[in-house]
Short mmCIF file of all heavy atoms in Angstrom, two decimals:
data_model
loop_
_atom_site.label_atom_id
_atom_site.label_comp_id
_atom_site.label_asym_id
_atom_site.label_seq_id
_atom_site.Cartn_x
_atom_site.Cartn_y
_atom_site.Cartn_z
N MET A 1 10.82 10.81 17.99
CA MET A 1 10.12 11.08 16.73
C MET A 1 9.03 12.11 17.02
O MET A 1 8.39 12.11 18.04
CB MET A 1 9.48 9.79 16.25
CG MET A 1 8.76 9.96 14.89
SD MET A 1 8.40 8.37 14.06
CE MET A 1 6.69 8.23 14.35
N PRO A 2 8.82 13.09 16.07
CA PRO A 2 7.77 14.08 16.26
C PRO A 2 6.43 13.44 16.24
O PRO A 2 6.28 12.29 15.73
CB PRO A 2 7.92 15.08 15.11
CG PRO A 2 8.68 14.22 14.06
CD PRO A 2 9.55 13.26 14.87
N ASP A 3 5.35 14.10 16.72
CA ASP A 3 4.02 13.55 16.61
C ASP A 3 3.68 13.35 15.15
O ASP A 3 3.94 14.16 14.30
CB ASP A 3 3.02 14.53 17.16
CG ASP A 3 3.05 14.65 18.70
OD1 ASP A 3 3.72 13.77 19.31
OD2 ASP A 3 2.45 15.58 19.22
N VAL A 4 3.14 12.16 14.87
CA VAL A 4 2.57 11.81 13.50
C VAL A 4 1.10 11.78 13.63
O VAL A 4 0.56 10.94 14.43
CB VAL A 4 3.15 10.53 13.00
CG1 VAL A 4 2.50 10.17 11.65
CG2 VAL A 4 4.69 10.64 12.83
N HIS A 5 0.42 12.61 12.94
CA HIS A 5 -1.07 12.61 12.93
C HIS A 5 -1.55 11.79 11.74
O HIS A 5 -1.06 11.99 10.62
CB HIS A 5 -1.59 14.04 12.83
CG HIS A 5 -1.31 14.81 14.03
ND1 HIS A 5 -2.19 14.94 15.08
CD2 HIS A 5 -0.23 15.55 14.38
CE1 HIS A 5 -1.65 15.69 16.07
NE2 HIS A 5 -0.42 16.11 15.62
N CYS A 6 -2.49 10.89 11.97
CA CYS A 6 -2.89 9.92 10.96
C CYS A 6 -4.38 9.65 11.17
O CYS A 6 -4.87 9.49 12.28
CB CYS A 6 -2.06 8.63 11.16
SG CYS A 6 -2.64 7.31 10.03
N THR A 7 -5.14 9.46 10.03
CA THR A 7 -6.56 9.22 10.13
C THR A 7 -6.89 7.81 9.76
O THR A 7 -8.12 7.45 9.71
CB THR A 7 -7.37 10.21 9.19
OG1 THR A 7 -6.82 10.03 7.88
CG2 THR A 7 -7.16 11.61 9.64
N VAL A 8 -5.94 6.94 9.63
CA VAL A 8 -6.17 5.49 9.29
C VAL A 8 -6.45 4.80 10.65
O VAL A 8 -5.60 4.15 11.26
CB VAL A 8 -5.04 4.89 8.52
CG1 VAL A 8 -5.33 3.47 8.12
CG2 VAL A 8 -4.71 5.71 7.26
N ASP A 9 -7.68 4.87 11.12
CA ASP A 9 -8.00 4.55 12.47
C ASP A 9 -8.15 3.06 12.72
O ASP A 9 -8.35 2.65 13.86
CB ASP A 9 -9.25 5.26 12.96
CG ASP A 9 -10.52 4.82 12.20
OD1 ASP A 9 -10.38 4.29 11.08
OD2 ASP A 9 -11.64 5.02 12.73
N ASN A 10 -8.02 2.23 11.68
CA ASN A 10 -8.02 0.82 11.94
C ASN A 10 -6.61 0.18 11.92
O ASN A 10 -6.46 -1.03 11.92
CB ASN A 10 -8.91 0.06 10.91
CG ASN A 10 -8.41 0.18 9.49
OD1 ASN A 10 -7.78 1.16 9.12
ND2 ASN A 10 -8.69 -0.83 8.69
N CYS A 11 -5.60 1.00 11.94
CA CYS A 11 -4.21 0.54 12.01
C CYS A 11 -3.91 0.26 13.48
O CYS A 11 -4.33 0.94 14.43
CB CYS A 11 -3.22 1.64 11.54
SG CYS A 11 -1.51 1.15 11.66
N LYS A 12 -3.08 -0.80 13.75
CA LYS A 12 -2.77 -1.18 15.12
C LYS A 12 -1.92 -0.11 15.83
O LYS A 12 -1.88 -0.08 17.04
CB LYS A 12 -2.05 -2.53 15.16
CG LYS A 12 -0.59 -2.53 14.76
CD LYS A 12 -0.08 -3.93 14.94
CE LYS A 12 1.41 -3.94 15.29
NZ LYS A 12 1.94 -5.23 15.55
N TYR A 13 -1.31 0.78 15.07
CA TYR A 13 -0.51 1.84 15.70
C TYR A 13 -1.27 3.11 15.95
O TYR A 13 -0.76 4.06 16.50
CB TYR A 13 0.74 2.15 14.84
CG TYR A 13 1.65 1.01 14.73
CD1 TYR A 13 1.81 0.35 13.48
CD2 TYR A 13 2.37 0.54 15.82
CE1 TYR A 13 2.71 -0.73 13.35
CE2 TYR A 13 3.26 -0.54 15.69
CZ TYR A 13 3.45 -1.16 14.45
OH TYR A 13 4.23 -2.20 14.28
N TRP A 14 -2.50 3.21 15.48
CA TRP A 14 -3.32 4.36 15.63
C TRP A 14 -3.82 4.49 17.09
O TRP A 14 -4.22 3.51 17.70
CB TRP A 14 -4.53 4.36 14.62
CG TRP A 14 -5.34 5.62 14.57
CD1 TRP A 14 -5.19 6.70 13.78
CD2 TRP A 14 -6.47 5.89 15.40
NE1 TRP A 14 -6.16 7.58 14.01
CE2 TRP A 14 -6.96 7.15 15.04
CE3 TRP A 14 -7.13 5.20 16.43
CZ2 TRP A 14 -8.08 7.76 15.61
CZ3 TRP A 14 -8.21 5.83 17.03
CH2 TRP A 14 -8.70 7.07 16.63
N THR A 15 -3.91 5.77 17.54
CA THR A 15 -4.59 5.95 18.85
C THR A 15 -5.36 7.25 18.79
O THR A 15 -5.39 8.01 17.85
CB THR A 15 -3.57 5.98 19.98
OG1 THR A 15 -4.27 5.84 21.25
CG2 THR A 15 -2.67 7.21 19.98
N THR A 16 -6.12 7.58 19.90
CA THR A 16 -7.03 8.64 19.87
C THR A 16 -6.34 9.97 19.54
O THR A 16 -5.09 10.14 19.67
CB THR A 16 -7.70 8.82 21.32
OG1 THR A 16 -6.66 8.91 22.25
CG2 THR A 16 -8.54 7.56 21.59
N LYS A 17 -7.15 10.92 19.09
CA LYS A 17 -6.76 12.21 18.59
C LYS A 17 -5.83 12.15 17.39
O LYS A 17 -4.99 12.95 17.12
CB LYS A 17 -6.06 13.07 19.70
CG LYS A 17 -7.04 13.31 20.88
CD LYS A 17 -6.45 14.33 21.85
CE LYS A 17 -7.46 14.61 22.94
NZ LYS A 17 -6.94 15.58 23.90
N ASN A 18 -6.06 11.01 16.61
CA ASN A 18 -5.34 10.82 15.35
C ASN A 18 -3.84 10.82 15.52
O ASN A 18 -3.10 11.44 14.72
CB ASN A 18 -5.74 11.93 14.34
CG ASN A 18 -7.15 11.71 13.82
OD1 ASN A 18 -7.65 10.59 13.78
ND2 ASN A 18 -7.79 12.76 13.35
N LEU A 19 -3.34 10.14 16.52
CA LEU A 19 -1.91 10.01 16.73
C LEU A 19 -1.44 8.63 16.45
O LEU A 19 -2.11 7.63 16.70
CB LEU A 19 -1.57 10.39 18.20
CG LEU A 19 -1.68 11.88 18.48
CD1 LEU A 19 -1.58 12.06 20.04
CD2 LEU A 19 -0.62 12.70 17.77
N CYS A 20 -0.20 8.56 15.89
CA CYS A 20 0.43 7.29 15.56
C CYS A 20 1.40 6.90 16.73
O CYS A 20 2.15 7.78 17.15
CB CYS A 20 1.24 7.43 14.29
SG CYS A 20 2.27 6.04 13.89
N THR A 21 1.42 5.64 17.14
CA THR A 21 2.30 5.25 18.20
C THR A 21 3.49 4.38 17.73
O THR A 21 4.25 3.91 18.54
CB THR A 21 1.48 4.41 19.22
OG1 THR A 21 1.03 3.19 18.62
CG2 THR A 21 0.33 5.19 19.84
N ALA A 22 3.65 4.19 16.44
CA ALA A 22 4.79 3.43 15.89
C ALA A 22 6.09 4.13 16.24
O ALA A 22 6.17 5.34 16.33
CB ALA A 22 4.63 3.24 14.40
N ASP A 23 7.16 3.34 16.42
CA ASP A 23 8.47 3.91 16.67
C ASP A 23 9.04 4.56 15.47
O ASP A 23 9.79 5.51 15.57
CB ASP A 23 9.48 2.83 17.12
CG ASP A 23 9.13 2.29 18.51
OD1 ASP A 23 8.49 2.99 19.28
OD2 ASP A 23 9.52 1.12 18.82
N ASN A 24 8.68 4.10 14.31
CA ASN A 24 9.10 4.76 13.04
C ASN A 24 8.07 4.35 12.00
O ASN A 24 7.39 3.37 12.15
CB ASN A 24 10.55 4.37 12.67
CG ASN A 24 10.70 2.86 12.51
OD1 ASN A 24 10.16 2.27 11.58
ND2 ASN A 24 11.42 2.22 13.49
N ILE A 25 8.08 5.15 10.94
CA ILE A 25 7.09 4.86 9.84
C ILE A 25 7.82 5.06 8.48
O ILE A 25 8.80 5.75 8.41
CB ILE A 25 5.83 5.75 9.89
CG1 ILE A 25 6.15 7.18 9.74
CG2 ILE A 25 5.05 5.46 11.21
CD1 ILE A 25 4.95 8.09 9.50
N ILE A 26 7.20 4.43 7.48
CA ILE A 26 7.72 4.60 6.10
C ILE A 26 6.59 5.25 5.34
O ILE A 26 5.44 4.74 5.30
CB ILE A 26 8.09 3.29 5.48
CG1 ILE A 26 9.20 2.63 6.28
CG2 ILE A 26 8.47 3.54 4.03
CD1 ILE A 26 9.56 1.21 5.86
N VAL A 27 6.85 6.42 4.71
CA VAL A 27 5.81 7.12 3.96
C VAL A 27 6.25 7.33 2.53
O VAL A 27 7.43 7.59 2.29
CB VAL A 27 5.57 8.52 4.61
CG1 VAL A 27 4.62 9.37 3.78
CG2 VAL A 27 5.06 8.41 6.04
N GLN A 28 5.32 7.11 1.61
CA GLN A 28 5.64 7.38 0.17
C GLN A 28 4.72 8.48 -0.30
O GLN A 28 3.79 8.86 0.33
CB GLN A 28 5.52 6.08 -0.61
CG GLN A 28 6.54 5.08 -0.19
CD GLN A 28 6.42 3.80 -0.95
OE1 GLN A 28 5.39 3.17 -0.94
NE2 GLN A 28 7.53 3.38 -1.58
N ASN A 29 5.01 9.01 -1.49
CA ASN A 29 4.25 10.16 -2.02
C ASN A 29 2.85 9.72 -2.34
O ASN A 29 2.48 8.59 -2.50
CB ASN A 29 4.97 10.79 -3.10
CG ASN A 29 4.98 9.99 -4.38
OD1 ASN A 29 4.54 8.87 -4.46
ND2 ASN A 29 5.47 10.57 -5.46
N ASP A 30 1.99 10.75 -2.47
CA ASP A 30 0.60 10.57 -2.71
C ASP A 30 0.07 11.70 -3.61
O ASP A 30 0.01 12.84 -3.19
CB ASP A 30 -0.20 10.54 -1.42
CG ASP A 30 -1.66 10.32 -1.62
OD1 ASP A 30 -2.13 10.32 -2.73
OD2 ASP A 30 -2.36 10.16 -0.64
N GLY A 31 -0.15 11.40 -4.87
CA GLY A 31 -0.56 12.43 -5.81
C GLY A 31 -1.82 13.17 -5.44
O GLY A 31 -2.06 14.28 -5.87
N GLU A 32 -2.68 12.50 -4.65
CA GLU A 32 -3.97 13.11 -4.29
C GLU A 32 -4.03 13.71 -2.92
O GLU A 32 -4.92 14.38 -2.53
CB GLU A 32 -5.06 12.10 -4.39
CG GLU A 32 -5.19 11.48 -5.75
CD GLU A 32 -6.34 10.53 -5.87
OE1 GLU A 32 -7.28 10.71 -5.07
OE2 GLU A 32 -6.28 9.61 -6.67
N GLY A 33 -3.06 13.37 -2.10
CA GLY A 33 -3.19 13.62 -0.68
C GLY A 33 -2.84 15.01 -0.20
O GLY A 33 -2.63 15.91 -0.98
N GLY A 34 -2.83 15.14 1.13
CA GLY A 34 -2.46 16.37 1.74
C GLY A 34 -3.55 17.13 2.44
O GLY A 34 -4.71 17.07 1.95
N VAL A 35 -3.23 17.66 3.49
CA VAL A 35 -4.21 18.54 4.21
C VAL A 35 -3.53 19.83 4.47
O VAL A 35 -2.28 19.98 4.48
CB VAL A 35 -4.67 17.92 5.54
CG1 VAL A 35 -5.42 16.61 5.28
CG2 VAL A 35 -3.55 17.66 6.52
N SER A 36 -4.33 20.85 4.71
CA SER A 36 -3.81 22.16 5.03
C SER A 36 -2.96 22.14 6.27
O SER A 36 -3.29 21.45 7.24
CB SER A 36 -4.99 23.12 5.25
OG SER A 36 -4.56 24.30 5.94
N PRO A 37 -1.87 22.91 6.30
CA PRO A 37 -1.03 22.96 7.54
C PRO A 37 -1.84 23.50 8.72
O PRO A 37 -1.50 23.33 9.81
CB PRO A 37 0.10 23.93 7.15
CG PRO A 37 0.14 23.97 5.69
CD PRO A 37 -1.26 23.69 5.16
N ASP A 38 -2.93 24.24 8.39
CA ASP A 38 -3.79 24.83 9.48
C ASP A 38 -4.88 23.83 9.92
O ASP A 38 -5.66 24.25 10.74
CB ASP A 38 -4.47 26.07 8.98
CG ASP A 38 -3.39 27.14 8.60
OD1 ASP A 38 -2.34 27.13 9.22
OD2 ASP A 38 -3.64 27.93 7.70
N ALA A 39 -4.96 22.67 9.40
CA ALA A 39 -6.04 21.75 9.75
C ALA A 39 -5.93 21.34 11.19
O ALA A 39 -4.88 21.28 11.81
CB ALA A 39 -5.90 20.44 8.87
N GLN A 40 -7.12 21.09 11.72
CA GLN A 40 -7.18 20.51 13.13
C GLN A 40 -6.79 19.03 13.08
O GLN A 40 -7.71 18.20 12.89
CB GLN A 40 -8.56 20.72 13.68
CG GLN A 40 -8.95 22.14 13.87
CD GLN A 40 -8.07 22.91 14.89
OE1 GLN A 40 -7.71 22.36 15.93
NE2 GLN A 40 -7.64 24.09 14.58
N LEU A 41 -5.55 18.71 13.19
CA LEU A 41 -5.05 17.35 13.00
C LEU A 41 -5.66 16.33 13.89
O LEU A 41 -5.82 15.19 13.48
CB LEU A 41 -3.56 17.36 13.05
CG LEU A 41 -2.81 18.23 12.05
CD1 LEU A 41 -1.30 18.23 12.35
CD2 LEU A 41 -3.08 17.80 10.63
N SER A 42 -6.00 16.70 15.06
CA SER A 42 -6.55 15.75 16.03
C SER A 42 -8.00 15.39 15.75
O SER A 42 -8.54 14.52 16.41
CB SER A 42 -6.35 16.27 17.49
OG SER A 42 -7.11 17.39 17.69
N SER A 43 -8.62 16.11 14.93
CA SER A 43 -10.08 15.86 14.70
C SER A 43 -10.44 15.64 13.22
O SER A 43 -11.58 15.80 12.90
CB SER A 43 -10.89 17.03 15.27
OG SER A 43 -10.55 18.25 14.65
N LEU A 44 -9.51 15.29 12.41
CA LEU A 44 -9.80 14.98 11.01
C LEU A 44 -10.66 13.73 10.96
O LEU A 44 -10.55 12.82 11.82
CB LEU A 44 -8.52 14.73 10.23
CG LEU A 44 -7.63 15.95 9.99
CD1 LEU A 44 -6.28 15.53 9.31
CD2 LEU A 44 -8.34 16.95 9.07
N ASP A 45 -11.51 13.59 9.92
CA ASP A 45 -12.35 12.44 9.78
C ASP A 45 -11.49 11.18 9.57
O ASP A 45 -10.48 11.23 8.92
CB ASP A 45 -13.29 12.59 8.58
CG ASP A 45 -14.37 13.60 8.84
OD1 ASP A 45 -14.61 13.95 10.03
OD2 ASP A 45 -14.94 14.10 7.87
N ALA A 46 -11.98 10.01 10.07
CA ALA A 46 -11.25 8.76 9.93
C ALA A 46 -11.22 8.36 8.44
O ALA A 46 -12.19 8.56 7.68
CB ALA A 46 -11.93 7.67 10.73
N THR A 47 -10.10 7.72 8.03
CA THR A 47 -9.97 7.18 6.70
C THR A 47 -9.36 5.76 6.80
O THR A 47 -8.23 5.55 6.47
CB THR A 47 -9.08 8.08 5.82
OG1 THR A 47 -7.78 8.14 6.47
CG2 THR A 47 -9.59 9.48 5.66
N PRO A 48 -10.20 4.75 7.26
CA PRO A 48 -9.67 3.47 7.42
C PRO A 48 -9.25 2.84 6.11
O PRO A 48 -9.71 3.28 5.03
CB PRO A 48 -10.89 2.68 8.00
CG PRO A 48 -12.05 3.48 7.64
CD PRO A 48 -11.65 4.91 7.55
N ALA A 49 -8.36 1.88 6.14
CA ALA A 49 -7.79 1.25 4.93
C ALA A 49 -7.84 -0.30 5.12
O ALA A 49 -7.82 -0.82 6.25
CB ALA A 49 -6.39 1.69 4.71
N SER A 50 -7.90 -1.03 4.01
CA SER A 50 -7.96 -2.49 4.08
C SER A 50 -6.59 -3.10 3.78
O SER A 50 -6.34 -4.28 3.97
CB SER A 50 -9.02 -3.05 3.17
OG SER A 50 -8.76 -2.66 1.88
N SER A 51 -5.66 -2.28 3.30
CA SER A 51 -4.28 -2.76 3.07
C SER A 51 -3.34 -1.56 3.01
O SER A 51 -3.78 -0.42 2.88
CB SER A 51 -4.20 -3.49 1.71
OG SER A 51 -4.26 -2.60 0.66
N LYS A 52 -2.03 -1.79 3.07
CA LYS A 52 -1.07 -0.69 3.09
C LYS A 52 -1.09 0.03 1.71
O LYS A 52 -0.76 1.22 1.64
CB LYS A 52 0.31 -1.12 3.49
CG LYS A 52 0.97 -2.13 2.58
CD LYS A 52 2.37 -2.51 3.10
CE LYS A 52 2.26 -3.21 4.47
NZ LYS A 52 3.55 -3.75 4.91
N ASP A 53 -1.53 -0.62 0.69
CA ASP A 53 -1.58 -0.01 -0.63
C ASP A 53 -2.68 1.09 -0.65
O ASP A 53 -2.68 1.91 -1.55
CB ASP A 53 -1.87 -1.06 -1.69
CG ASP A 53 -0.71 -1.93 -1.99
OD1 ASP A 53 0.42 -1.58 -1.61
OD2 ASP A 53 -0.92 -3.02 -2.53
N GLU A 54 -3.56 1.11 0.35
CA GLU A 54 -4.62 2.15 0.40
C GLU A 54 -4.17 3.28 1.22
O GLU A 54 -4.95 4.24 1.45
CB GLU A 54 -5.93 1.58 0.92
CG GLU A 54 -6.53 0.58 -0.07
CD GLU A 54 -7.89 0.12 0.38
OE1 GLU A 54 -8.39 0.56 1.47
OE2 GLU A 54 -8.48 -0.75 -0.31
N THR A 55 -2.97 3.28 1.75
CA THR A 55 -2.48 4.41 2.61
C THR A 55 -1.20 4.94 1.97
O THR A 55 -0.58 4.35 1.09
CB THR A 55 -2.12 3.97 4.08
OG1 THR A 55 -0.88 3.33 4.07
CG2 THR A 55 -3.21 3.02 4.56
N CYS A 56 -0.77 6.10 2.48
CA CYS A 56 0.59 6.62 2.12
C CYS A 56 1.65 5.99 2.99
O CYS A 56 2.83 6.22 2.74
CB CYS A 56 0.62 8.15 2.33
SG CYS A 56 -0.57 9.06 1.35
N CYS A 57 1.29 5.23 4.02
CA CYS A 57 2.19 4.77 4.98
C CYS A 57 2.38 3.30 4.84
O CYS A 57 1.44 2.48 5.00
CB CYS A 57 1.63 5.07 6.38
SG CYS A 57 2.70 4.38 7.72
N GLN A 58 3.58 2.83 4.57
CA GLN A 58 3.86 1.46 4.35
C GLN A 58 4.09 0.69 5.65
O GLN A 58 4.28 -0.53 5.66
CB GLN A 58 5.15 1.29 3.46
CG GLN A 58 4.91 1.90 2.10
CD GLN A 58 3.69 1.38 1.38
OE1 GLN A 58 3.45 0.19 1.27
NE2 GLN A 58 2.80 2.31 1.00
N THR A 59 3.96 1.42 6.79
CA THR A 59 4.06 0.73 8.07
C THR A 59 2.69 0.26 8.52
O THR A 59 2.60 -0.49 9.52
CB THR A 59 4.65 1.71 9.11
OG1 THR A 59 5.86 2.25 8.59
CG2 THR A 59 4.98 1.08 10.44
N PHE A 60 1.62 0.62 7.86
CA PHE A 60 0.28 0.26 8.26
C PHE A 60 0.13 -1.22 8.50
O PHE A 60 0.64 -2.05 7.69
CB PHE A 60 -0.73 0.62 7.11
CG PHE A 60 -2.11 0.02 7.28
CD1 PHE A 60 -3.02 0.60 8.09
CD2 PHE A 60 -2.43 -1.13 6.54
CE1 PHE A 60 -4.29 0.07 8.23
CE2 PHE A 60 -3.71 -1.67 6.64
CZ PHE A 60 -4.66 -1.11 7.48
N GLN A 61 -0.55 -1.61 9.65
CA GLN A 61 -0.89 -2.98 9.88
C GLN A 61 -2.29 -3.00 10.42
O GLN A 61 -2.53 -2.21 11.43
CB GLN A 61 0.06 -3.61 10.93
CG GLN A 61 1.41 -3.95 10.37
CD GLN A 61 2.20 -4.70 11.37
OE1 GLN A 61 1.69 -5.60 12.06
NE2 GLN A 61 3.50 -4.44 11.46
N GLN A 62 -3.18 -3.67 9.77
CA GLN A 62 -4.55 -3.70 10.23
C GLN A 62 -4.67 -4.11 11.69
O GLN A 62 -4.08 -5.15 12.04
CB GLN A 62 -5.39 -4.63 9.36
CG GLN A 62 -6.84 -4.46 9.59
CD GLN A 62 -7.70 -4.54 8.33
OE1 GLN A 62 -7.19 -4.93 7.27
NE2 GLN A 62 -8.91 -4.15 8.38
N GLY A 63 -5.35 -3.34 12.52
CA GLY A 63 -5.43 -3.65 13.92
C GLY A 63 -6.60 -4.59 14.25
O GLY A 63 -7.28 -5.05 13.43
S1 SF4 B 1 -1.02 4.02 9.09
FE1 SF4 B 1 1.08 4.56 9.48
S2 SF4 B 1 1.05 6.62 10.37
FE2 SF4 B 1 -1.03 5.76 10.48
S3 SF4 B 1 -1.15 4.83 12.53
FE3 SF4 B 1 -0.50 3.23 11.10
S4 SF4 B 1 1.75 3.21 11.22
FE4 SF4 B 1 0.99 5.19 12.09
#
């Protein structure tokens, strides 16, 4: 799987430099989301979530 950069830093699959360690993920659309393709993906601000409904990723599990 390619590198997945994620800022939901309280997920059990999240690790340093905003990387996801899950074997696979499920993502759904987000009318508000998105970052520039030029963004520094490893240093984006954290965006913790309290449930998967607060993320674009349905694989989220609170760590
Ligand atoms: S929220 Fe999804 S993409 Fe982010 S670390 Fe968790 S499983 Fe990976």
Side-chain angles (χ1 to χ4, degrees):
M1 184 164 105
D3 287 349
V4 173
H5 293 267
C6 175
T7 57
V8 185
D9 67 337
N10 64 330
C11 177
K12 77 177 211 178
Y13 296 113
W14 185 92
T15 193
T16 56
K17 298 190 176 178
N18 288 333
L19 288 170
C20 173
T21 63
D23 290 336
N24 57 71
I25 62 169
I26 299 170
V27 175
Q28 294 180 303
N29 71 354
D30 181 353
E32 300 184 26
V35 296
S36 162
D38 299 328
Q40 294 298 317
L41 299 174
S42 64
S43 58
L44 291 173
D45 290 341
T47 59
S50 58
S51 73
K52 63 181 64 172
D53 289 341
E54 291 184 3
T55 80
C56 299
C57 176
Q58 299 307 306
T59 308
F60 168 81
Q61 288 189 37
Q62 191 141 13

